[in-house]
Amino acid sequence: MPAISIAKAPQPAATNPAQIRNYCIIAHIDHGKSTLADRMLGITGVVEDRNMRAQYLDRMDIERERGITIKSQAVRLPWRSGLDNQEYVLNMIDTPGHVDFTYEVSRSLAACEGAVLLVDCAQGIEAQTLANLYLAMENNLTIIPVLNKIDLPAAQPEKFAEELANLIGCKPEDCLRVSGKTGEGVEALLDQIVKQIPPPVGDPKAPTRALIFDSVYDSYRGVVTYVRVVDGHLSPRDQIQMYSTGVRHEMLEVGVISPEPIASKGLGVGEVGYLITGVKDVRQSRVGDTVTTYNNPATVALAGYKDPKPMVFSGLFPLDGAEYPMLREALDKLQLNDAALVFEPESSAALGFGFRCGFLGLLHMEIVRERLEREAGLTLISTAPSVVYNVTLDDGKKIVVTNPSEYPDGKIAEVQEPIVKATILAPSEFIGTIMELCQQRRGVQKGMDYLSEDRIEIRYTLPLAEIVFDFFDQLKSRTRGYASLDYEPIGEEPGDLVKVDILLQGEKVDAFSQIVHRDKAYAYGVSMTGKLHELIPRQQFEVPIQAAIGAKIIARENIRAIRKDVLAKCYGGDITRKRKLLEKQKEGKKRMKMVGRVEVPQEAFIAALTTDSDKASEKKK
């Protein structure tokens, strides 16, 4: 979201709801959502040509560097329709495409009446296209099918129009053809948005109700809240209150994003805009809450959002223990802008104080860590990602395990692990290699359909723990980048899981513990002991590195001691003299081993906890 500043533009008055259209653009990653949004900004004239840049709505450096949208962005566009020559206000939301940011998409859909479903003419329908389409259908949105990138030499609009028509239940000729790059067909698309998407419905005389769909923290002006007004009216200097907490505030400023913030005289039914109250407490503006007026409060809250369920957990620890309070403050501010992030304090014997954080996926985890390091200037260590297990002990007691260190040592009756339903779309030539990968990851095939002659949809159930490490990377490399993956949780199943502990000189190092399937425990133990053997510097005494399941050792490496050459001064002479010196050294080493402690350097923690995919991405940089 843009930083808020008072704009000098004239203040727009509230618009008649019949002239408003609220819509979002949904698609798979890299199908041209942000490029199409750029063309719409240019055609409607809200951004002058001299100020235009690629990915205009992607405000974060990370988004621009990686070429992906992480945060959905709302923008108000004026448009004179060519169909009836009337003035309309279009509130557009550009959404992320990656599966890890589905929560952003679901919040955007709740603030709209229609969705533009975008499909790349060269790549066709992908897994996330289907997932976003089903989300839009659940919200009863009007869906406009659009084929993008028709200017590409490899474009096959006829073929993919047929696929899209079969999926939605329309005719192939109903699929609009546009090019976000050249602007071809975009004006016709804007006219169809006006024609097909219904105007917002609400009661302007009822008590005010507005849904908070996003928030951002501005260091000068406090919490900036983004809302969609459903009933009533919001004006500057109104006394408002949050429905869930009942906290009262005075509105200092109300405005719209077009695409820079512009203060307005108020927001009416169906309008999307921002509120500033000057509040600095980030916990007082919850996404999904209802804003109402203090003098005439609403009695029924709007349906908020389902709280996102974290899929992957990882510990975040500051490299310098003194930065712990800064990390807490940074997480609080980031949670305001990223409602899918959850965290709680955690301490580790090896890494000190930090936070156990829940993420929606591996990319989400990577982005959060990078944002914390950039925006708050922190240096962080993250532990290996893990999922939530439900453990039942022999005595019937149940334990929820989000961290391998919480895994019980006693007798375990059953371990339930989360299972996901994975949908893979790929060219049909890769069926064999995809099936082989899924079987290696303990997958069970649930079905397979041909979307067209050369494209298949394969459905598998897989343990979530098998997906969160490098499943997606493996899938991409085996299918030359053509496969796409989408997954959703479907429950839990019992699994044969064990905790592998890493012991240094007989002492457990909690940061390296991992819960794995019994068949893969040996491989994990061998790889981790091998990594640590290379990373931990040699000591004055021999150090054994062991991997163990309970009391059973499954892998071992020895770090040889640094030895002084005590025989250097003995040239010639009696052998008993040399033996005496060697025995004396041996006794000293034994005594040192009893009292000595192995200090693991921070570099070793970072290197050992860095996955191979992280290393690959670092090499690319």
Side-chain angles (χ1 to χ4, degrees), residues 349-365:
L351 301 172
F353 291 104
F355 290 91
R356 190 84 188 153
C357 302
F359 309 95
L360 296 183
L362 223 53
L363 178 66
H364 186 211
M365 174 180 133

Side-chain angles (χ1 to χ4, degrees), residues 585-610:
Q585 184 187 38
K586 194 173 171 185
E587 286 298 317
K589 294 284 180 195
K590 196 185 289 181
R591 202 162 51 248
M592 198 183 284
K593 189 170 185 176
M594 288 166 67
V595 296
R597 290 195 68 232
V598 183
E599 290 295 327
V600 183
Q602 294 284 20
E603 299 76 39
F605 273 114
I606 295 166
L609 294 172
T610 303

